[in-house]
């Protein structure tokens, strides 16, 4: 039986915690470059896996070595920033980069899946989900609330990326996203070393 109260509570907590996180940024970056439905499929699958792991593991996930998680995330973001900075974003390249038919479903959804799988592993919302599952002893309600919240944040990021592209040049979006990813990468590596 699903408890809508528990589901709504978990949705609210996870949504608010994840909204300012790197997920919206990752969705925005991928959403400006690839077909939104392909990106969402990969991101949604990764979040479903994360929630399943969190609910299954309960509070055990809080024992994961955070330095390793931060180091992997930092390297991933630095690599992503480097790729973005090396991408040419001139007016002639704009149409070529955004053509969805140039990118197959498995390649795009796989990229979204891997990005979220690595970047979000051991993240605050995954640990919160594990703690909420342990607290309420209602894995189905907690799992549904958490996955719906994460999908909502990812969808907002992806759709936001598409809407932003109509008003701001792709080259500027790419540079800003690269700088943000660079900052997140440096911060994650700092946390890995300092922690």
């Amino acid at each position: 039986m699903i408890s809508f109260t528990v589901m709504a509570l978990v949705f609210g907590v996870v949504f608010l915690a994840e909204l300012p996180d790197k997920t919206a940024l990752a969705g925005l970056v991928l959403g400006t470059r690839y077909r939104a439905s392909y990106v969402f499929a990969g991101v949604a699958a990764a979040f479903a896996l994360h929630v399943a792991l969190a609910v299954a593991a309960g509070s055990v996930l809080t024992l994961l070595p955070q330095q390793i998680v931060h180091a992997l995330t930092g390297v991933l973001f630095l690599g992503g920033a480097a790729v973005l900075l090396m991408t040419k974003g001139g007016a002639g390249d704009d149409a070529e980069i955004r053509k969805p038919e140039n990118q197959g479903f498995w390649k795009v959804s796989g990229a979204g899946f891997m990005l979220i799988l690595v970047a979000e592993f051991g993240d605050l919302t995954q640990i919160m989900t594990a703690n909420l599952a342990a607290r309420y002893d209602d894995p189905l309600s907690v799992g549904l609330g958490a996955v719906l919240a994460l999908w909502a944040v990812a969808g907002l990021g992806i759709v936001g990326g598409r809407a932003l592209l109509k008003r701001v040049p792709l080259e500027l979006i790419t540079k800003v996203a690269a700088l943000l990813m660079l900052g997140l990468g440096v911060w994650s590596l700092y946390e890995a070393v300092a922690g």
Side-chain angles (χ1 to χ4, degrees):
M1 188 84 183
I2 296 171
S3 167
F4 289 103
T5 304
V6 171
M7 193 172 81
L9 174 76
V10 171
F11 180 92
V13 168
V14 172
F15 183 84
L16 290 175
E18 193 66 23
L19 196 57
D21 198 36
K22 56 194 169 278
T23 304
L25 172 65
L28 186 143
V29 170
L30 292 171
T32 60
R33 297 194 164 290
Y34 306 112
R35 182 176 286 174
S37 60
Y38 291 5
V39 173
F40 186 78
V43 168
F47 275 134
L49 178 59
H50 273 288
V51 169
L53 289 172
V55 168
S59 60
V60 175
L61 287 176
T62 60
L63 303 175
L64 287 174
Q66 288 298 311
Q67 284 100 351
I68 294 172
V69 173
H70 291 310
L72 285 173
T73 302
V75 169
L76 181 70
F77 275 118
L78 290 177
V83 168
L84 285 174
L85 288 172
M86 292 188 306
T87 301
K88 302 275 189 248
D93 293 336
D94 238 20
E96 184 182 34
I97 290 171
R98 290 187 285 136
K99 268 189 200 170
E101 58 269 20
N102 287 345
Q103 301 295 330
F105 172 79
W106 293 111
K107 183 175 182 180
V108 173
S109 63
F113 179 84
M114 289 308 294
L115 177 67
I116 297 302
L117 187 68
V118 173
E120 293 293 316
F121 194 78
D123 191 56
L124 173 64
T125 51
Q126 190 178 32
I127 293 168
M128 281 185 350
T129 302
N131 288 335
L132 289 165
R135 177 178 177 171
Y136 289 109
D137 195 25
D138 187 354
L140 186 58
S141 300
V142 170
L144 281 173
V147 81
L148 290 174
L150 294 168
W151 287 355
V153 171
L156 284 173
I158 293 166
V159 171
R162 288 280 183 215
L164 187 62
L165 192 58
K166 292 178 181 176
R167 293 178 175 75
V168 181
L170 179 62
E171 185 175 6
L172 179 59
I173 293 171
T174 301
K175 286 181 182 177
V176 169
L179 289 174
L180 289 172
M181 290 182 95
L182 181 64
L184 286 168
V186 169
W187 178 254
S188 294
L189 290 176
Y190 169 76
E191 287 183 321
V193 173

